[in-house]
Amino acid sequence: MRSSFLHLIFALGICAVVLIGYGFWYATIADMSASATVLQGQIDAKTQAVSRMATTRAALAEISDDEKVLQSYFVPETGVVAFIDTLEGYGRAVGSTTVEVLSVSTGGALVRPTLTFSLSITGSFDAVMRTVGAIEYAPYAISIADLSVGQNAKNNWHADLELLVASIAPSSGAKKTP
């Protein structure tokens, strides 16, 4: 009987050691599972942040393209000569018209800078009016401030007009002369 009692105590001891080991490993695995859950939450947060950044970059790229399109409607102060060539090209495109730029000046506030062009267009009445229309509907932010049409000689007409063209503000590093 003593042998059975020893076997029972020995089996209960082994059972107690196994239960204690099981409890220890259970607590260790539960801690690691909690750590893994925290890490998974951090990974999810970083993944969402990366996704938002990618979406933001795509939106900025799209806005950048739109900004370039909008900027094409304005004439920078450094692009005045090219714009004058464009204006003279409208006269040549219509036909027998001559577009002469009399003066160019800057105007407007720093918030909305403008360039003021004084033009003289000569040719037949139809060609002069077509040139004025082509300039007015050019793909720029243009408004006609003043327009006068007159006839010099038989079938020789002239139009004197003053254009206000939206300009791009000079960069902050450049000095603006008064």
Side-chain angles (χ1 to χ4, degrees):
M1 172 105 166
R2 188 159 168 93
S3 167
S4 298
F5 184 68
L6 278 175
H7 286 294
L8 179 65
I9 290 180
F10 184 68
L12 287 175
I14 289 178
C15 186
V17 168
V18 167
L19 285 175
I20 290 172
Y22 176 78
F24 173 75
W25 284 113
Y26 182 82
T28 302
I29 290 174
D31 287 343
M32 295 224 177
S33 177
S35 296
T37 303
V38 168
L39 288 175
Q40 184 63 43
Q42 291 174 350
I43 290 170
D44 291 342
K46 298 275 184 186
T47 303
Q48 289 174 355
V50 167
S51 174
R52 283 192 305 270
M53 284 190 285
T55 303
T56 304
R57 281 191 187 122
L60 285 175
E62 185 177 321
I63 290 171
S64 168
D65 293 339
D66 292 342
E67 181 182 15
K68 288 177 186 174
V69 169
L70 280 176
Q71 292 291 340
S72 71
Y73 289 101
F74 299 98
V75 177
E77 289 182 14
T78 58
V80 171
V81 174
F83 182 69
I84 290 172
D85 290 340
T86 303
L87 291 175
E88 291 172 348
Y90 289 134
R92 286 189 298 274
V94 168
S96 61
T97 353
T98 304
V99 177
E100 182 181 352
V101 178
L102 303 175
S103 70
V104 177
S105 62
T106 58
L110 289 176
V111 176
R112 296 184 188 178
T114 59
L115 297 170
T116 304
F117 290 85
S118 292
L119 305 175
S120 177
I121 304 169
T122 57
S124 68
F125 180 78
D126 185 49
V128 167
M129 296 313 291
R130 285 178 189 260
T131 304
V132 169
I135 290 172
E136 183 179 12
Y137 293 108
Y140 294 98
I142 294 177
S143 64
I144 295 179
D146 188 26
L147 172 66
S148 64
V149 179
Q151 187 176 17
N152 292 342
K154 184 173 175 138
N155 225 9
N156 190 14
W157 290 80
H158 68 89
D160 296 322
L161 66 133
E162 185 176 310
L163 295 177
L164 294 176
V165 182
S167 180
I168 298 172
S171 63
S172 61
K175 280 184 148 180
K176 179 129 175 115
T177 57

